Amino acid sequence: MIDTYFIPLVKILFVLNATLIAVTYMVLLERKVIAWVQVRLGPMRVGPYGILQPIADAVKLILKEDITPARADKWVFTAAPILVMVPALITFAVIPFGPSVHLFGRDIPLYITDVNVGLLYIVSVASIGVYGIILGGWASNSKFPLLASLRASAQLISYEVAVTMTLVSLIMTAGSLSMVKIVESQFNAGLWFIFVQPVAFVLFFIGGLAETNRAPFDMAEAEQELTGGFHTEYSGMRFALFFLAEYANMIVVSAVATTLFLGGWLAPFPNVAWLNVLELIPSWMWFLMKTFAFLYVFLWVRATLPRYRYDQLMRLGWKVLIPIAIANVVVTGIVKVLF
Amino acid sequence: MTEEPKEPTAAGDKPASEAAAPAAPAAPTPAAPAAATPAAPKAAAPAAAAKPPAAPHDNKPAPPSGPTDPPPPAGAQIPACITALQAAVPGAVEHVSFYIGDWTMIVPATKLLEAGRFLREAPAAAFDFCSDVTASDWPSRAQRFDVIYCLYSTRLRHRVRLKVRAAEAEPVPSVSGIWPAANWLEREVYDLFGVNITGHPNLTRILMPDDWQGHPQRKDYPLEGPGELLMENPLDWLKLKQAREEAEIE
Amino acid sequence: MATEARQMFDTEELVINMGPQHPSTHGVLRVVLRLDGEKVVSSDVIIGYLHRGIEKLSENRNWTQIILLTDRMDYVAAATNNVGYCQTVEKLMQIEVPRRARYVRTALCELQRIASHCLWLGTHAMDIGAMTVFLYAFRERELILDLFEEYCGARLTYNSMRIGGLPLDIPVGWDKKVLEFCSIMAEKVDEYEELLTHNRIWLERTKGIGVITAEQAIAIGLSGPPLRGSGVTKDARKDEPYAAYDEMKFDVPIGTAGDTYDRYLVRLEEFRQSIRIIRQAIEGLPEGPIVGKVPRLIKPPAGETYHAIESPKGEIGYFIVSDGKSTNPYRFRVRPPSFCNLQALPQLIKGHMLADVVALIGSLDVVLGEVDR
């Protein structure tokens, strides 16, 4: 009873809270990191070094006037941000933060659940997020958001193909769709998969940037073009949900990349005995550090690179990434058969 | 049209001495360029100082009746582009003027297009770059507007100015067919001066709002704007505008 | 509801209005675009939102007061506007400007050119998405504005020239600071190049965008870096030297392809050439008076003239008519480079995508204060 209901509930609450706090603090982290790259300081006023800025932002957004455009479709207008946020959050159900730990006389695995089609679950749930964007643009009942949402959804769908192809080659390498088993196979192989599948890693990273609408693929939300993209008409808490969903997606992509390519909760060189001193750092700490490294690279890329034009972005997805991904699958297959 | 060159001899001594006074402080300052040129403004200044008979209490000088267009000093060589134009298009050059290193030709409006085309195509001239098209308002003159075309040659690196005199509604052909750069410049001349430019592809107001009345850069247009013509209170103006629009709908 | 849905997906031309308030139109510029999908079919540029009547105001101000008005036209490059005006009046009055003043004027004009190009680079890069370059370019622009503040007390609208020379001699130690700045700037230009010039995304966004041939550019009246990017060697500093440019050694960068990338490269090289000119001007600064022999009351003799100099945006020309008697000019006309460059915009953006419109407005480097006066 406790095992089937109570412990998963505690884990869910814990992960959900941790994720939401992480997402709000991602906002601050982005502003700070980009500011430091740009020779500025970022938010400094609210709290020491601006630490309480996200709380100020949250309070502001909650207290804002709730404006719905006059001819907008009310139910869809409200549902759209939810449809973007929820898939990002429920992905965390299958992400493994660590192996089993021994607590209170029980073996508690550091993941909410281990579905044996975990990777497939993640990819499918992420696709539902696209609906939220399309509906958001549609429900606003205005020219610019509609155009922008169509562009954003086309971009997301195209890059999903590339990312999924990449994941196929990874599944072939790992031999399983379950997230926990992928990490364990990295342990068995003694190598993080980034060394085994470098091409897949690069493709996944670029695809991840495009999937989360981050620079250099953020044409859909670039202010200079269509004044705010698909969330032009949103304000207050609904806008906050869109905004936070983008960061939640970023964290999901980073977490998935960590699990698949950087060995999840494993320390570097997990099989080498004399480096076991690295095991002093708990496994979930390793996981968080690697995820954080990924997030930092996301922010770094945003501060540095110019933005792709929409047609160049689509061309990159279809004509460059997908062929390379397919080629990667073929090569992986050949290597697997021969060795 | 041909008044200016003849006036210095006909105006007499009085205007000359009056005009010489303001010119004197400027003349002694060291002048690097041609020594012949200081003579030219003094000789031509009387044209600007022509005074209509003034009432006894009115001691403000009369407004100038036109620009000085001093002829080139004796012995100065007229550049090849001007002589070529004079030869190729007869009647195009009414008057040649030279002032501090710049050559200006006064061209009648009827010959403007021919002259322009020649200047752009002739190898001696090759004026392919239209630097500026602007205008001056001399209200006391019959042909009140002076439309000025500043031309430059990117190949031969020389400049010349064309001047066309036009009365209030006299048509001036558009040179935007010859130099597309003149398109917006002529729109501005029309907008701010009201010169009647014909043959322009899109002669609409460019700097002032589309429904503005009047031409602000004219000398008889007040600096502060239309004043009482614009209501004291902006709300009244809006009401008037709405009433006008409703009347149009009906 | 169904008919509304069908209407929203109709494939006819979409009319989009950019501005006058828009994050990337560099001022109050309004562009009405007719789009077929994403491609621009035709466009209409509407200006006049910043028209302040400077030309008419000048007819009511005396010759020295107009220097203040000229600052406010191209407010990004105020010193060059001042120099152009003062030189036109000096031409009318036949005043000789002493050599020291000419050298300082050259140095100030070139500092102004660097400052204006810094602003251009920052905003152009930001429009294309590289936000960081904006902050870096403005960091350097701050250094220049500090130099100007030390010289004349103002950061943006300098009023730093007088007819016949300059109002003030340079402060003690200013020339050393300028030379230090030159060394700093030389490194920073390399930094900008590293960030952008060979960046694959930058190349894709700027190569082949907004191509204009040399003949088209000359015909439409482009001047300055847009004209030189198309391969035409026209630079008033070399063709009709003014101030101390005839004594300076420098090159004028000329592009070949006439696209946005070449205009970018031309301006980037102009940074380096300006640094070179400043070094020569400051190191070779002669002693002497800072202002020439100018009468107390400035009244040029009756006559008119046109004088053009090379501002960072292009050829800025002043056409001034003096009637010889009053203390105000009879007619004051500025030939604004941004106005004439902006004319080319409809031609440049035809056939390009919406995202390129913003890149092209940035590439032409327009300042609306100058366009509308």
Side-chain angles (χ1 to χ4, degrees):
Chain A
M1 207 348 244
I2 295 188
D3 280 323
T4 41
Y5 292 113
F6 183 65
I7 292 181
L9 203 58
V10 168
K11 280 195 230 172
I12 290 173
L13 284 174
F14 190 78
V15 168
L16 218 50
N17 277 311
T19 311
L20 289 173
I21 295 177
V23 163
T24 42
Y25 271 86
M26 264 299 295
V27 179
L28 177 66
L29 185 72
E30 164 159 52
R31 288 173 70 173
K32 279 292 207 189
V33 166
I34 293 187
W36 282 87
V37 170
Q38 293 174 348
V39 201
R40 309 180 276 128
L41 289 175
M44 289 288 281
R45 291 195 179 273
V46 192
Y49 295 101
I51 293 268
L52 299 179
Q53 180 73 39
I55 300 180
D57 283 340
V59 169
K60 177 199 82 168
L61 285 167
I62 293 174
L63 294 178
K64 259 197 194 263
E65 183 187 344
D66 192 11
I67 301 178
T68 311
R71 292 172 52 201
D73 193 331
K74 270 208 330 257
W75 291 113
V76 181
F77 193 73
T78 312
I82 302 175
L83 263 181
V84 183
M85 186 65 165
V86 168
L89 291 177
I90 62 181
T91 325
F92 280 99
V94 295
I95 292 187
F97 297 95
S100 297
V101 276
H102 204 78
L103 271 183
F104 307 120
R106 283 191 161 79
D107 267 334
I108 302 180
L110 282 181
Y111 41 85
I112 299 178
T113 176
D114 180 28
V115 184
N116 59 356
V117 287
L119 205 53
L120 182 62
Y121 167 77
I122 291 178
V123 173
S124 344
V125 155
S127 316
I128 302 180
V130 184
Y131 281 112
I133 295 179
I134 299 179
L135 290 175
W138 171 266
S140 301
N141 203 2
S142 158
K143 242 187 326 204
F144 295 131
L146 182 67
L147 278 179
S149 76
L150 290 177
R151 282 170 26 162
S153 49
Q155 173 185 332
L156 261 60
I157 296 174
S158 331
Y159 279 85
E160 259 171 22
V161 179
V163 166
T164 314
M165 284 276 130
T166 312
L167 293 179
V168 165
S169 54
L170 198 70
I171 296 166
M172 286 161 59
T173 317
S176 161
L177 275 171
S178 152
M179 300 289 272
V180 176
K181 291 224 176 45
I182 293 178
V183 178
E184 283 172 3
S185 67
Q186 289 182 71
F187 181 75
N188 295 336
L191 264 184
W192 288 354
F193 281 156
I194 183 175
F195 302 110
V196 179
Q197 292 266 3
V199 175
F201 174 69
V202 171
L203 287 178
F204 184 80
F205 186 69
I206 298 178
L209 278 176
E211 281 289 304
T212 48
N213 268 325
R214 295 286 297 179
F217 303 110
D218 60 349
M219 185 55 91
E221 45 185 54
E223 287 157 4
Q224 286 86 355
E225 315 308 326
L226 292 175
T227 59
F230 59 86
H231 49 70
T232 309
E233 300 286 340
Y234 283 86
S235 64
M237 209 54 213
R238 298 201 185 93
F239 171 72
L241 274 179
F242 268 125
F243 199 49
L244 295 177
E246 177 177 319
Y247 291 108
N249 274 317
M250 266 168 68
I251 300 184
V252 164
V253 168
S254 306
V256 169
T258 308
T259 313
L260 297 178
F261 293 100
L262 292 188
W265 68 73
L266 298 170
F269 307 108
N271 295 350
V272 177
W274 61 272
L275 278 175
N276 271 355
V277 65
L278 291 168
E279 303 276 342
L280 281 176
I281 303 175
S283 50
W284 49 269
M285 190 63 133
W286 278 111
F287 181 87
L288 290 176
M289 289 199 299
K290 292 177 208 170
T291 309
F292 179 77
F294 255 104
L295 286 171
Y296 179 75
V297 176
F298 266 84
L299 300 177
W300 188 7
V301 165
R302 177 165 186 217
T304 313
L305 295 178
R307 192 179 288 132
Y308 264 118
R309 209 173 59 203
Y310 187 68
D311 61 315
Q312 294 165 343
L313 191 162
M314 296 299 274
R315 184 175 40 85
L316 188 74
W318 286 97
K319 289 198 192 171
V320 177
L321 292 191
I322 293 183
I324 298 183
I326 295 178
N328 194 27
V329 169
V330 170
V331 167
T332 309
I334 294 176
V335 167
K336 273 244 143 190
V337 162
L338 291 180
F339 296 107
Chain B
M1 265 191 280
T2 49
E3 336 167 60
E4 267 69 27
K6 296 213 183 106
E7 239 185 279
T9 47
D13 291 325
K14 193 155 113 248
S17 58
E18 279 165 337
T29 58
T37 48
K42 263 196 256 179
K51 260 177 148 175
H57 60 273
D58 179 15
N59 47 12
K60 260 199 303 210
S65 67
T68 65
D69 280 319
Q77 183 169 35
I78 300 194
C81 52
I82 299 184
T83 46
L85 179 62
Q86 282 170 324
V89 185
V93 181
E94 284 180 349
H95 176 62
V96 176
S97 165
F98 177 83
Y99 189 57
I100 320 181
D102 297 337
W103 289 92
T104 309
M105 293 183 263
I106 306 211
V107 177
T110 46
K111 298 275 186 208
L112 177 63
L113 289 179
E114 274 187 69
R117 246 175 251 123
F118 176 79
L119 287 175
R120 192 188 61 180
E121 274 138 28
F127 288 108
D128 49 0
F129 187 82
C130 176
S131 262
D132 196 12
V133 177
T134 183
S136 273
D137 186 21
W138 304 92
S140 52
R141 205 173 64 179
Q143 289 187 301
R144 70 184 292 187
F145 296 124
D146 242 1
V147 185
I148 298 133
Y149 301 81
C150 304
L151 303 171
Y152 177 75
S153 168
T154 54
R155 270 181 287 140
L156 301 174
R157 313 267 162 97
H158 56 187
R159 286 188 189 268
V160 83
R161 290 205 290 274
L162 291 179
K163 263 214 265 201
V164 174
R165 297 184 181 149
E168 180 123 3
E170 192 180 322
V172 175
S174 162
V175 297
S176 53
I178 309 174
W179 297 287
N183 191 318
W184 277 20
L185 294 162
E186 282 177 346
R187 273 178 75 184
E188 185 179 337
V189 167
Y190 160 70
D191 185 7
L192 296 180
F193 283 93
V195 174
N196 179 12
I197 297 181
T198 56
H200 191 278
N202 175 27
L203 196 69
T204 51
R205 288 196 180 261
I206 187 168
L207 291 179
M208 305 306 293
D210 289 331
D211 52 358
W212 195 262
Q213 303 296 323
H215 297 280
Q217 196 75 33
R218 291 187 178 185
K219 288 289 176 181
D220 47 9
Y221 195 91
L223 177 64
E224 304 79 21
E228 293 100 42
L229 301 175
L230 207 56
M231 312 287 133
E232 284 296 329
N233 187 350
L235 290 176
D236 293 335
W237 183 77
L238 271 173
K239 272 193 228 140
L240 192 70
K241 187 169 167 223
Q242 273 168 0
R244 217 186 310 136
E245 279 166 9
E246 276 159 25
E248 270 172 38
I249 293 172
E250 283 153 27
Chain C
M1 202 59 180
T3 40
E4 270 175 22
R6 217 176 299 132
Q7 265 171 355
M8 280 181 108
F9 283 109
D10 257 340
T11 53
E12 55 182 30
E13 277 178 4
L14 187 63
V15 177
I16 285 195
N17 180 48
M18 264 179 81
Q21 288 115 336
H22 188 99
S24 344
T25 51
H26 299 256
V28 279
L29 174 67
R30 183 174 167 210
V31 185
V32 179
L33 299 161
R34 238 162 252 107
L35 302 177
D36 174 22
E38 281 249 359
K39 283 203 178 334
V40 175
V41 171
S42 70
S43 60
D44 208 8
V45 180
I46 299 163
I47 59 174
Y49 292 93
L50 198 50
H51 179 62
R52 294 156 287 177
I54 287 186
E55 295 183 2
K56 194 154 179 89
L57 275 173
S58 306
E59 292 171 12
N60 289 270
R61 301 269 180 286
N62 75 40
W63 296 85
T64 315
Q65 287 173 325
I66 296 177
I67 303 177
L68 288 154
L69 290 176
T70 56
D71 275 330
R72 281 138 175 93
M73 290 187 306
D74 179 4
Y75 37 76
V76 167
T80 31
N81 298 6
N82 291 347
V83 166
Y85 170 71
C86 290
Q87 286 184 334
T88 316
V89 180
E90 286 153 14
K91 184 175 168 187
L92 265 182
M93 292 177 73
Q94 314 269 52
I95 294 176
E96 187 176 332
V97 180
R99 207 155 157 256
R100 185 178 171 85
R102 281 192 282 130
Y103 269 67
V104 178
R105 274 188 181 173
T106 310
L108 289 174
C109 278
E110 291 305 308
L111 274 175
Q112 189 65 85
R113 191 175 313 265
I114 299 180
S116 172
H117 284 342
C118 274
L119 189 137
W120 159 80
L121 182 64
T123 48
H124 188 45
M126 190 165 71
D127 287 341
I128 297 191
M131 313 181 295
T132 308
V133 182
F134 178 74
L135 272 304
Y136 292 169
F138 266 72
R139 181 186 52 189
E140 271 70 70
R141 192 176 142 87
E142 283 298 312
L143 297 173
I144 300 179
L145 296 186
D146 286 343
L147 286 171
F148 267 103
E149 192 182 8
E150 202 178 320
Y151 168 68
C152 65
R155 279 164 51 97
L156 195 69
T157 48
Y158 306 126
N159 192 15
S160 62
M161 307 288 163
R162 292 287 177 271
I163 296 170
L166 297 152
L168 307 153
D169 206 341
I170 59 177
V172 175
W174 190 80
D175 44 354
K176 292 207 186 33
K177 291 197 185 141
V178 172
L179 289 173
E180 267 172 39
F181 165 77
C182 285
S183 349
I184 298 177
M185 192 70 206
E187 291 168 12
K188 298 299 181 188
V189 180
D190 291 333
E191 209 178 273
Y192 306 149
E193 283 235 69
E194 222 180 282
L195 270 176
L196 294 174
T197 307
H198 300 291
N199 184 320
R200 128 107 44 86
I201 303 182
W202 182 263
L203 286 168
E204 282 205 44
R205 286 299 296 271
T206 54
K207 254 201 185 297
I209 304 292
V211 178
I212 188 164
T213 64
E215 291 82 34
Q216 286 173 329
I218 297 176
I220 199 69
L222 282 181
S223 59
L227 183 64
R228 293 199 280 276
S230 300
V232 180
T233 52
K234 176 182 180 304
D235 186 334
R237 296 176 292 172
K238 287 275 193 199
D239 301 333
E240 304 158 307
Y242 56 96
Y245 285 105
D246 43 359
E247 302 176 36
M248 303 286 153
K249 284 198 197 31
F250 64 101
D251 301 316
V252 174
I254 307 285
T256 42
D259 60 4
T260 305
Y261 188 61
D262 272 15
R263 294 190 277 269
Y264 157 80
L265 287 176
V266 163
R267 286 192 180 100
L268 219 57
E269 185 58 33
E270 282 191 359
F271 269 116
R272 298 201 170 93
Q273 295 301 320
S274 292
I275 295 174
R276 203 170 149 196
I277 299 176
I278 298 176
R279 281 208 173 107
Q280 288 172 54
I282 298 288
E283 282 164 6
L285 195 61
E287 296 299 325
I290 201 76
V291 67
K293 286 203 179 52
V294 183
R296 183 179 281 247
L297 193 61
I298 297 184
K299 265 199 205 174
E304 57 190 33
T305 187
Y306 177 84
H307 181 66
I309 67 162
E310 187 79 17
S311 95
K313 313 279 183 298
E315 172 187 324
I316 185 165
Y318 287 83
F319 177 76
I320 301 187
V321 180
S322 160
D323 63 2
K325 287 182 305 177
S326 76
T327 50
N328 309 339
Y330 188 81
R331 169 91 175 103
F332 172 85
R333 151 85 186 164
V334 184
R335 182 255 188 216
S338 301
F339 182 87
C340 301
N341 288 357
L342 196 55
Q343 257 193 96
L345 188 68
Q347 195 179 341
L348 282 178
I349 62 181
K350 201 176 166 98
H352 285 300
M353 310 232 177
L354 187 56
D356 297 322
V357 173
V358 181
L360 283 167
I361 297 178
S363 173
L364 284 177
D365 197 9
V366 285
V367 171
L368 265 297
E370 202 173 45
V371 172
D372 291 338
R373 283 156 284 134

